[in-house]
Amino acid sequence: MAASTDHDERAGADAAADEPASRRRGTGRIALAVSVFGELLITAGLVLGLFVVYSLWWTNVVADRAADKQSDKVRDHWLDRGPGSLDTKNGIGFLHVPAMKNGEVLVKKGTSTKVLNGGVAGYYTDPVKSALPQDEKGNFALAAHRDGHGAKFHNIDKIKKGDPVVFETKDDWYVYKVFSVLPETSKYNVKVLGAVPKQSGVKKAGRYITLTTCTPVYTSRYRYVVWGELERVEKVDNARTPPAELR
């Protein structure tokens, strides 16, 4: 009877000794899994952070450099040619909007991603064909990025009614005055680009300018729209003295 008891006691002791070791191995595997998962999260966070830096900062640097080169090319081209119609090859002119505090913005033909990623604004050719500033009637409709790739219209929400919008060509300054703002509309709403953009409040043809970009910031869910109407055209003098609105 005593031998059986001793055997039971030894078996119990062995089981007690084995149980903590097994538990320690299980705990070690869980700790390892948690450690690996944590490292993966840190790596993913770093990758995401680098992507954000690339999207919101580096693409601006690259686009601004490209836009500066294109702008210089356009101005050099202007020096080599006499008066005439707008040249749509490299850029038709420069947009100046003091309220956005972004300097001059080169305007080119088209609103494709390829065009706008170059740090410029583009005038619509599809789905609506934009008028050009020199046209007697129509809507000069433009688009640009609001974040990344130059973000030329990032501060579009700073534009208010009565603010000036000036478009510069080789021979003329087109001075517009903002008369209506639409903070949010569907990105499929092409009526805002029409020759008579009725959502702006106008009811008859005129000489309008429309600025469009994505909203809210860092998304492309909706469109932000600003409308202006031409007030006057000034000829460019030899010194390229800007109109009063830009001084």
Side-chain angles (χ1 to χ4, degrees):
M1 189 72 177
S4 176
T5 301
D6 290 342
H7 176 74
D8 291 342
E9 289 177 353
R10 285 196 299 272
D14 291 341
D18 289 343
E19 186 175 353
S22 175
R23 190 180 300 119
R24 285 196 297 272
R25 287 195 296 272
T27 302
R29 285 194 291 269
I30 292 173
L32 178 61
V34 170
S35 176
V36 171
F37 183 66
E39 290 180 2
L40 289 174
L41 286 178
I42 292 172
T43 301
L46 289 172
V47 171
L48 181 60
L50 289 173
F51 177 75
V52 170
V53 170
Y54 169 79
S55 298
L56 301 182
W57 177 72
W58 184 246
T59 60
N60 286 339
V61 173
V62 173
D64 285 341
R65 288 175 180 173
D68 287 344
K69 289 181 179 179
Q70 293 179 78
S71 298
D72 291 342
K73 189 173 183 180
V74 169
R75 291 198 178 278
D76 289 343
H77 183 60
W78 284 357
L79 294 175
D80 296 334
R81 58 181 282 268
S85 61
L86 296 184
D87 184 351
T88 60
K89 182 178 180 181
N90 297 309
I92 63 171
F94 297 90
L95 183 72
H96 304 263
V97 187
M100 288 202 287
K101 298 180 180 180
N102 61 349
E104 63 181 33
V105 180
L106 179 63
V107 175
K108 301 187 70 174
K109 181 179 181 179
T111 56
S112 67
T113 299
K114 182 179 180 180
V115 172
L116 301 188
N117 281 2
V120 304
Y123 65 89
Y124 284 88
T125 58
D126 181 74
V128 174
K129 185 177 180 181
S130 168
L132 293 177
Q134 76 271 26
D135 293 340
E136 292 185 5
K137 300 288 183 181
N139 187 1
F140 183 36
L142 309 174
H145 285 308
R146 195 171 186 189
D147 54 84
H149 301 285
K152 297 305 181 183
F153 284 2
H154 182 77
N155 291 325
I156 194 171
D157 59 312
K158 301 297 190 293
I159 302 175
K160 307 301 180 186
K161 291 181 181 179
D163 285 347
V165 174
V166 180
F167 187 69
E168 174 192 4
T169 69
K170 181 183 184 300
D171 303 314
D172 298 292
W173 298 95
Y174 294 86
V175 181
Y176 299 84
K177 183 176 181 180
V178 173
F179 66 88
S180 185
V181 175
L182 182 60
E184 184 179 295
T185 188
S186 168
K187 59 184 177 181
Y188 304 109
N189 182 7
V190 298
K191 292 181 180 180
V192 299
L193 310 174
V196 181
K198 294 182 179 180
Q199 278 185 273
S200 69
V202 299
K203 298 180 180 179
K204 61 181 181 179
R207 297 176 74 174
Y208 306 115
I209 190 169
T210 301
L211 310 181
T212 68
T213 194
C214 298
T215 199
V217 180
Y218 310 126
T219 74
S220 59
R221 188 173 182 182
Y222 300 107
R223 293 291 179 269
Y224 197 109
V225 187
V226 172
W227 288 284
E229 185 170 16
L230 186 70
E231 284 201 323
R232 69 183 189 278
V233 180
E234 293 185 12
K235 298 302 293 184
V236 171
D237 60 24
N238 292 333
R240 297 201 74 83
T241 306
E245 287 80 359
L246 300 183
R247 293 180 220 153

